[in-house]
Amino acid sequence: MQNLNYLRTKQKLSQAELSRRSSVSQTYISELEANRKQPTYPILKKLAAALGVSIAELIGEQSPEQPEENDVHTRPQ
């Protein structure tokens, strides 16, 4: 979960604050950031919601700068 630490620190959140916002224990968040645990889908949902990002962005399938697929911008011709 390499994006978890990046997204959390980008928002200037401590593990304790993310824990409070997501109802996921601080110890579990620490283990996820250290790649000692693999999150379940319900945990991913809680963390993504607490960080205000998509699950795809949280797990690294979509980079934080990448727009959503449905958010396609067309250039004028």
Side-chain angles (χ1 to χ4, degrees):
M1 294 268 325
Q2 42 193 225
N3 277 359
L4 178 57
N5 179 270
Y6 171 76
L7 292 165
R8 179 180 61 76
T9 56
K10 180 180 171 185
Q11 294 184 30
K12 297 180 171 65
L13 296 176
S14 65
Q15 289 180 347
E17 178 61 18
L18 179 57
S19 173
R20 188 188 67 74
R21 290 183 182 190
S22 65
S23 300
V24 176
S25 79
Q26 182 177 347
T27 302
Y28 196 76
I29 290 170
S30 176
E31 290 175 332
L32 290 172
E33 289 185 358
N35 291 315
R36 289 191 295 260
K37 296 274 186 183
Q38 293 299 313
T40 61
Y41 182 71
I43 296 292
L44 287 173
K45 282 177 50 175
K46 288 179 180 184
L47 292 171
L51 291 166
V53 299
S54 67
I55 291 175
E57 188 174 340
L58 180 60
I59 63 174
E61 287 185 356
Q62 176 182 335
S63 68
E65 297 80 33
Q66 199 175 34
E68 293 283 340
E69 274 187 37
N70 295 338
D71 189 21
V72 177
H73 298 285
T74 57
R75 292 204 276 185
Q77 296 189 2

